[in-house]
């Protein structure tokens, strides 16, 4: 009996060590970042009981934060404030081993010896809870897209019924219909459905503007990388149709309409959806997988091959900034600046100056614009180089904190992507992407 008890203790210790490695090498223990007043445990009757938290608070010096993070927006060791009433459906199970320990003398790895032992463990209860939350969010995103597109189609049919469907060929009107229906129909569906899932209550931190500028250069660098990859894939799949679709939408719309919807409305809505609504609800199971999930959902949301790659990369940066600050303003500002630079400034300078007409290039007004274009190009080159340098320097300094209901990485990936809601959302967006980019080519070939 004594040998079995010693074996159980050794098994628990081995599992805790292996789980800490599975989560993330850069993850800081919750005692350095979280203030958890109580620990939830689930008894055999699934009743919630509360135990006093015996976690020892670690000093700030134990947190391996870079100077940039320390000076910018981490002012103390507390990041999360867990509202116990919001998390009574799952266990934190910090006071017990995540897996049932083995009784066999041949297993001291800390892993379950059978599926039955894992299925009866508290970790499996949390895994099922997390998977249900991810699935619910997947269905919510799917209904959000379907409701939005049905509403836009209904408006288009209304225009056709009234005999004014010719207005739909106007890019400004088409963009207005898309954004208005998203805000009036899609956003309420998303908000009402997501209210069921609790939000992790966190402390908010401030970021310096110099640090925000550094992240902008990183975003600029990632946009170039993502655009190159997206354009190459677009050429293979649709011979550039996806890129031409984006370019024509931006180029054929007026500057005022593009500024309102592309620079103002779109960043606010998209950051509110994918950072504020999704990330605030999923980070409680682990920060890194939640950031990756929100970024992938953000990329798929565009349903365009040319935009998917750089949108996903930008989503990773936006998600990290929001996770560390818990303030939406910083990712919104970055999103606005990027959309202005890529959708307004470049289009404005490129459309104003006709580089194919030598005589027009010599006019005084065009000379000023040419000089301005050259300055913008030089500034873009500076951002590109500095962004590559900042990315190389900062990517190893990223800090992630252990969440209140942290899942091991492999279980978190399974919970996030192996569920019907997320699978159907991915199928819908991928099908929409393929349909938008390939169907015109198929019809043209026929």
């Amino acid at each position: 009996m004594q040998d079995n008890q010693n074996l159980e203790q050794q098994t628990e210790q081995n599992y805790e060590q292996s789980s800490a490695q599975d989560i993330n090498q850069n993850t800081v223990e919750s005692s350095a970042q979280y203030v958890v007043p109580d620990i939830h445990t689930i008894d055999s009757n699934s009743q919630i009981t509360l135990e006093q938290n015996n976690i020892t608070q670690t000093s700030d010096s134990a947190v391996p934060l870079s100077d940039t993070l320390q000076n910018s927006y981490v002012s103390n060791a507390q990041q999360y404030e867990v509202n116990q009433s919001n998390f009574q459906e799952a266990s934190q199970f910090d006071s017990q081993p995540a897996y049932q320990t083995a009784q066999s003398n041949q297993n001291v790895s800390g892993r379950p010896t059978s599926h039955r032992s894992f299925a009866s463990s508290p970790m499996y209860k949390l895994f099922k809870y997390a998977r249900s939350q991810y699935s619910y969010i997947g269905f919510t995103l799917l209904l959000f897209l379907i409701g939005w597109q049905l509403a836009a189609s209904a408006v288009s049919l209304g225009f056709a019924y009234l005999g004014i469907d010719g207005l739909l060929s106007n890019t400004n009107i088409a963009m207005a219909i898309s954004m208005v229906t998203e805000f009036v129909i899609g956003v309420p569906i998303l908000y009402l459905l997501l209210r069921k899932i609790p939000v992790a209550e966190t402390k908010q931190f401030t970021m310096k503007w110099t640090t925000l500028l550094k992240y902008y250069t990183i975003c600029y660098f990632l946009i170039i990388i993502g655009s190159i990859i997206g354009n190459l894939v677009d050429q293979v799949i649709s011979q550039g149709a996806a890129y031409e679709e984006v370019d024509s939408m931006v180029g054929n719309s007026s500057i005022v309409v593009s500024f309102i919807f592309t620079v103002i409305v779109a960043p606010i809505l998209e950051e509110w959806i994918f950072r504020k609504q999704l990330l605030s609800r999923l980070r409680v199971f682990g920060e890194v997988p939640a950031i990756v999930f929100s970024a992938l959902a953000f990329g798929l949301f565009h349903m365009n091959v040319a935009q998917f790659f750089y949108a996903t990369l930008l989503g990773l940066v936006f998600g990290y900034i929001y996770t560390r600050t818990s303030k939406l303003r910083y990712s919104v500002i970055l999103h606005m600046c990027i959309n202005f630079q890529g959708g307004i400034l470049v289009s404005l300078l490129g459309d104003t100056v006709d580089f194919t007409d030598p005589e027009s290039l010599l006019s005084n007004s065009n000379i000023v614009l040419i000089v301005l274009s050259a300055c913008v190009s030089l500034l873009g080159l500076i951002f590109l180089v500095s962004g590559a340098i900042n990315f190389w320097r900062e990517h190893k300094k990223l800090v992630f904190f252990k969440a209140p209901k942290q899942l091991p990485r492999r279980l978190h990936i399974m919970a996030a992507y192996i569920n019907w809601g997320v699978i159907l959302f991915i199928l819908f967006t991928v099908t929409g992407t393929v349909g938008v980019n390939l169907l015109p080519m198929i019809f043209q070939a026929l």
Side-chain angles (χ1 to χ4, degrees):
M1 180 65 68
Q2 183 67 28
D3 293 340
N4 288 337
Q5 292 179 354
N6 294 335
L7 179 60
E8 291 181 4
Q9 294 178 357
Q10 180 65 31
T11 303
E12 295 174 14
Q13 294 175 358
N14 291 339
Y15 173 76
E16 291 175 357
Q17 294 175 358
S18 60
S19 295
Q21 295 175 356
D22 285 345
I23 294 170
N24 194 289
Q25 293 181 352
N26 292 335
T27 300
V28 181
E29 290 299 321
S30 60
S31 58
Q33 180 77 356
Y34 292 74
V35 175
V36 186
D38 294 299
I39 292 179
H40 286 57
T41 59
I42 300 182
D43 59 20
S44 58
N45 297 323
S46 299
Q47 298 295 324
I48 303 296
T49 60
L50 300 178
E51 296 182 6
Q52 201 63 26
N53 184 5
N54 294 322
I55 295 176
T56 303
Q57 183 68 33
T58 304
S59 62
D60 292 351
S61 60
V63 183
L65 296 178
S66 64
D67 293 338
T68 301
L69 291 172
Q70 185 69 35
N71 295 332
S72 299
Y73 47 86
V74 177
S75 58
N76 56 52
Q78 182 181 5
Q79 174 76 13
Y80 285 76
E81 291 179 330
V82 178
N83 185 344
Q84 300 298 333
S85 62
N86 289 339
F87 298 101
Q88 292 186 357
E89 298 181 60
S91 169
Q92 259 179 266
F93 48 80
D94 291 334
S95 60
Q96 54 185 310
Y99 291 100
Q100 298 294 329
T101 57
Q103 297 297 327
S104 171
N105 292 331
Q106 298 178 354
N107 188 352
V108 291
S109 63
R111 301 299 181 185
T113 57
S114 67
H115 293 290
R116 180 177 299 176
S117 62
F118 173 64
S120 61
S121 67
M123 177 63 76
Y124 183 65
K125 290 182 175 65
L126 179 67
F127 167 73
K128 289 179 61 178
Y129 175 70
R131 185 176 60 183
S132 67
Q133 300 297 77
Y134 271 100
S135 182
Y136 186 85
I137 286 178
F139 278 119
T140 299
L141 291 173
L142 179 63
L143 293 176
F144 160 68
L145 289 176
I146 292 175
W148 172 23
Q149 294 191 6
L150 287 178
S153 299
V155 173
S156 300
L157 290 176
F159 275 49
Y161 178 79
L162 296 175
I164 55 176
D165 52 310
L167 295 176
L168 297 175
S169 59
N170 188 314
T171 307
N172 296 323
I173 296 179
M175 184 181 296
I177 292 175
S178 177
M179 297 303 298
V180 170
T181 52
E182 178 185 8
F183 181 77
V184 174
I185 303 297
V187 169
I189 292 175
L190 187 85
Y191 175 73
L192 292 175
L193 291 177
L194 287 182
R195 291 176 62 185
K196 177 182 176 181
I197 301 179
V199 175
E201 297 187 10
T202 64
K203 298 290 290 185
Q204 295 184 340
F205 300 102
T206 303
M207 176 184 287
K208 287 184 177 180
W209 293 107
T210 53
T211 305
L212 189 64
L213 179 60
K214 181 185 294 186
Y215 277 110
Y216 177 79
T217 63
I218 294 175
C219 289
Y220 191 91
F221 169 71
L222 294 178
I223 288 174
I224 301 300
I225 300 299
S227 297
I228 293 174
I229 298 174
N231 290 335
L232 290 176
V233 175
D234 183 30
Q235 289 295 331
V236 174
I237 294 178
S238 61
Q239 299 180 359
Y243 176 80
E244 291 178 0
E245 177 190 359
V246 177
D247 186 62
S248 63
M249 178 172 292
V250 176
N252 295 331
S253 59
S254 68
I255 297 298
V256 175
V257 173
S258 294
F259 184 85
I260 293 174
F261 292 116
T262 304
V263 181
I264 303 297
V265 178
I268 295 176
L269 282 181
E270 291 172 1
E271 293 307 305
W272 180 82
I273 293 171
F274 294 99
R275 256 58 69 179
K276 182 69 174 179
Q277 298 302 315
L278 265 64
L279 204 48
S280 294
R281 289 169 166 81
L282 297 176
R283 63 188 292 181
V284 70
F285 303 115
E287 294 182 347
V288 176
I291 292 173
V292 173
F293 179 86
S294 67
L296 287 173
F298 178 59
L300 290 170
F301 165 79
H302 288 80
M303 288 194 288
N304 187 289
V305 174
Q307 293 179 295
F308 169 77
F309 294 95
Y310 73 76
T312 301
L313 293 175
L314 289 177
L316 294 174
V317 179
F318 296 159
Y320 178 75
I321 292 174
Y322 177 74
T323 302
R324 289 283 66 84
T325 63
S326 295
K327 290 183 178 181
L328 199 62
R329 68 186 68 167
Y330 301 115
S331 59
V332 169
I333 291 173
L334 281 180
H335 201 153
M336 287 180 172
C337 292
I338 289 168
N339 282 9
F340 175 79
Q341 185 273 331
I344 303 297
L345 187 59
V346 173
S347 178
L348 179 63
L349 295 176
D351 293 342
T352 305
V353 182
D354 185 6
F355 291 94
T356 62
D357 186 1
E359 294 183 359
S360 65
L361 293 176
L362 298 178
S363 63
N364 293 332
S365 60
N366 281 344
I367 289 177
V368 174
L369 291 174
I370 291 172
V371 173
L372 182 60
S373 299
C375 293
V376 172
S377 300
L378 179 61
L379 187 61
L381 181 60
I382 295 173
F383 281 159
L384 177 62
V385 175
S386 60
I389 296 174
N390 289 330
F391 176 79
W392 179 256
R393 289 178 175 176
E394 297 297 324
H395 81 281
K396 294 183 179 180
K397 299 180 182 180
L398 301 179
V399 176
F400 302 101
F401 295 91
K402 186 176 179 181
K405 301 182 184 303
Q406 183 85 39
L407 275 170
R409 181 167 51 190
R410 286 188 287 269
L411 286 182
H412 199 154
I413 293 174
M414 292 173 61
Y417 301 102
I418 306 180
N419 60 75
W420 282 114
V422 173
I423 289 174
L424 291 177
F425 167 72
I426 293 175
L427 288 176
F428 181 84
T429 52
V430 171
T431 302
T433 301
V434 172
V436 169
N437 296 323
L438 290 184
L439 285 181
M441 293 179 55
I442 296 175
F443 290 141
Q444 186 177 1
L446 296 176

